[in-house]
Amino acid sequence: MTPDMIEIEIKDLAFNGKAIGNLESGKVIFLDRGLPGEKVLAEVVQSRPRYDVGRVHDIIVKSDLRVPPVCSHFGSCGGCTWQDLAYSQQIEFKRKQVAGCIEHIGGLDDVKLLDVIGSAERFHYRNKMEFSFHTAEDGGFTLGLHRRGRFDEVFDLEKCFLHGETADRIVHWVRDFVKQEGIPVYDVKEHTGFIRFLVIRATRRTGEIMVNIVTNYGEIPSWQKLMQGIRDNFPEVTTLVHNQNGQKSNIATGEIERVIFGLGYIEEKLFNSTFRIRANSFFQTNTTQTETLYRAGFDMLNPTRQDRVLDLYCGTGSIGILLAPHVREVIGVELVEDAVNAARENAILNEVKNINFYQGFVKDFLKTEIATKEPFDAIIIDPPRAGLHPKALKQILSIRPPKILYISCNPATFARDAKKLVESGYKLPAIKPIDMFPHTMHVELVGVFYDEKVPS
Ligand SMILES: C[S@@+](CC[C@H](N)C(=O)[O-])C[C@H]1O[C@@H](n2cnc3c(N)ncnc32)[C@H](O)[C@@H]1O
């Protein structure tokens, strides 16, 4: 044991996936690995006034909860945090995470926290993966996923257990193609170079695959060769698209899109409905668990045929389109133009006529006549991780629907918003967490708020 190594017992797991222990002084230390009950040998790498950050060098006493990870990248990859933890325990920690947010951020003590609905599929559950191209110091490049905790490091992916096997082969093939053709890789710091992302979307129910190459402005050099290579090697790829993103923000969406072959979209099934997914529009990433999530939400909402429903942050319209046959009318609101177009297309595709979509910021839409003139019986909220914009929350409170179904991918912002809704007189009887992403620290949840001032 080197002098600066210390023995620490792991007490708990933090929401960001770190392990928590205490130094001899009692000061909290966050560690990069370790499971509750384990004893580890670690060094302090950062000291802050209220806590330290440490790196584990060895696990001296192993927990019974530990299972062998299946992936060779586990530990260094930023994707999975808990592949070495028994799934039943992952679920338990996710429940604790929700409970902690509800108590400490929401201050809500009379909400019933239901058991987490686990995912039947533990691996290969993702229908979308984004791989980054990254310039390497030796002048070469890598194509894969980010290293754990490093936005500025990408490792060459060999195999990922969260998506299908074809996606692995596509990653390898595209990496070799870019190397052979000498296509310059985009440099995030310098804002130079060309190729930025490889995005693969593979539907679970229809077996369609979309390959999307995201680049800086310009034509892909030797794109005909790329097209032929994908066609020859991956007959299961149904469409290849090229998106150009010349903005500094390093996101895998494009301002200019070109369909190289196929229809430019893929179609996925949710229950008995079909959803068209385009490269730049949101679609839930775990198809099977999306049905679980929506079913849990609809069961809690318990809509009636007379209901007029507002579906905020509607993406490609899946929630509203599935709900519309069971209610009087649905209005969907979404910021991204491509998603709104896809939502309209999806409504036609599914012959749903009592739904309309509006493009724009939720906070702006809620001020319009469409939102304020005729009352809504229910509002559905499914925001990004940041939760509700304060102005949107204020306007929802002034519209004051009898029921609000809140679907959240972030228990912390949910708890913050729930606090405000409850303070204004809404009641939240129960929360149901759903695990959409096994082996990661993410957890979704649904809950319905009832206006206590409306007689039931
Ligand atoms: C978590 S997704 C939910 C999508 C959809 N409800 C579903 O289940 O597929 C959040 C959506 O909100 C959209 N969005 C983000 N900020 C927004 C805003 N301020 N106003 C309107 N839509 C927004 C995103 O583009 C994304 O499609």
Side-chain angles (χ1 to χ4, degrees), residues 173 224-234:
W173 189 89
Q224 290 96 335
K225 226 170 157 183
L226 170 77
M227 177 178 78
Q228 206 48 53
I230 297 268
R231 285 210 131 136
D232 293 346
N233 291 286
F234 306 100

Side-chain angles (χ1 to χ4, degrees), residues 281-284 290 293-294 311-319 333-336 339 360-363 382-385 389 407 409:
S281 50
F282 180 91
F283 192 77
Q284 296 280 354
T290 297
L293 178 80
Y294 288 178
D311 177 16
L312 298 177
Y313 309 91
C314 70
T316 37
S318 44
I319 294 179
V333 184
E334 162 64 40
L335 182 61
V336 175
F361 286 99
V362 160
K363 67 176 173 47
D382 184 9
R385 288 185 62 75
H389 190 283
I407 301 179
C409 55

Side-chain angles (χ1 to χ4, degrees), residues 16-42:
N16 57 6
K18 297 233 186 266
I20 308 174
N22 293 98
L23 298 173
E24 241 177 46
S25 62
K27 192 179 184 188
V28 169
I29 179 161
F30 290 102
L31 297 157
D32 57 339
R33 61 197 176 104
L35 299 176
E38 290 189 331
K39 201 175 263 183
V40 300
L41 204 56

Side-chain angles (χ1 to χ4, degrees), residues 374-387:
E374 201 190 327
F376 286 100
D377 302 287
I379 294 185
I380 299 170
I381 309 167
D382 184 9
R385 288 185 62 75

Side-chain angles (χ1 to χ4, degrees), residues 413-433:
T413 54
F414 169 84
R416 178 201 68 200
D417 296 341
K419 184 173 196 260
K420 291 266 170 10
L421 289 165
V422 169
E423 277 168 2
S424 89
Y426 276 94
K427 188 165 173 50
L428 175 64
I431 292 170
K432 196 183 268 283

